[in-house]
Amino acid sequence: MKVYAERPMRALGQLLVDLLLIVWVGAWTWLGLQFHERLDALRGPTRQVGEAGDNLANSLSTTGEQLRGLQLVGDLLAAPFDAIVGSARQLVEASDSSQQAIARLADLSFVVISLFPIVFAVVVWVVVRGRWMRQATAAARLRHSGHGDGLLAAQALATARLDHLARLASPGNPLDDPISRHRLASYQLHRLGLRNYEPR
């Protein structure tokens, strides 16, 4: 299986693309983490509000219980404290809900900002490089086979530009001419970044 081209310049280009992909993935991952951390930091103030509400509820609940112990007026005096305690508990619940919502938003931001660009780049790389690997591997095998020049030349005839074909092929059927066949086969290998055709 061919992973990199045999010609230095083509192989260097492929290596640079691979390094660029790594940088791309790292950059978008870092950017997504930065957004995640910034949004997640918003949980701090809501957490503090929740803790303050919880402390207030506990404190007033204790005070209310103490007042409720008084005869005659105990329940009357404790009623306002019970109402405040209920409001403080609702504040704690709202704080918890806000923290969960912020956490989900932070996770979603990481997916939207980082995952989509990374997946897009990786899919493009896999499609382009995978196609080249299949073609280069097959061409490299044909290069050493007895009938490889004909198949490689036929592929060149089907895909090469006409001005290149006019320069490489002789008049008539170029597949019948050994020299034209060799030139076309070498041309097709060169397009894939492989060494020239080596007749057996």
Side-chain angles (χ1 to χ4, degrees):
M1 178 66 71
K2 289 288 182 184
V3 179
Y4 288 100
E6 297 171 348
R7 294 183 177 275
M9 294 305 297
R10 183 69 177 271
L12 179 60
Q14 292 174 331
L15 180 60
L16 290 176
V17 170
D18 293 348
L19 294 176
L20 181 61
L21 178 65
I22 294 173
V23 172
W24 177 273
V25 170
W28 282 104
T29 301
W30 177 84
L31 186 62
L33 289 175
Q34 292 299 310
F35 270 85
H36 185 277
E37 291 178 3
R38 297 290 176 84
L39 290 175
D40 194 61
L42 297 177
R43 296 171 61 188
T46 57
R47 186 184 301 110
Q48 293 176 356
V49 171
E51 292 174 353
D54 188 53
N55 293 335
L56 179 63
N58 293 334
S59 177
L60 293 179
S61 178
T62 302
T63 303
E65 291 298 327
Q66 293 174 350
L67 293 175
R68 193 171 283 105
L70 297 177
Q71 295 181 355
L72 300 177
V73 296
D75 291 339
L76 183 62
L77 293 176
F81 289 90
D82 293 339
I84 297 174
V85 168
S87 299
R89 296 297 184 193
Q90 292 178 356
L91 186 63
V92 172
E93 293 177 0
S95 173
D96 293 340
S97 299
S98 298
Q99 292 183 58
Q100 294 175 5
I102 292 173
R104 288 194 295 269
L105 180 61
D107 294 339
L108 181 62
S109 70
F110 177 79
V111 172
V112 172
I113 293 172
S114 297
L115 191 60
F116 289 163
I118 290 174
V119 169
F120 174 77
V122 171
V123 168
V124 171
W125 182 89
V126 168
V127 170
V128 174
R129 181 61 68 83
R131 178 184 176 187
W132 177 88
M133 289 172 65
R134 291 192 303 271
Q135 292 179 348
T137 301
R141 290 173 181 167
L142 288 173
R143 179 176 55 189
H144 300 291
S145 64
H147 60 282
D149 61 340
L151 293 176
L152 290 169
Q155 181 68 22
L157 286 173
T159 58
R161 289 166 40 183
L162 289 177
D163 56 338
H164 290 173
L165 293 178
R167 178 172 50 87
L168 294 170
S170 60
N173 186 356
L175 297 180
D176 293 335
D177 179 27
I179 297 178
S180 296
R181 238 185 4 254
H182 176 77
R183 288 177 179 173
L184 290 169
S186 296
Y187 172 78
Q188 182 63 20
L189 290 170
H190 187 274
R191 292 175 65 189
L192 293 171
L194 303 177
R195 290 188 298 269
N196 290 340
Y197 177 72
E198 301 170 0
R200 298 183 64 180

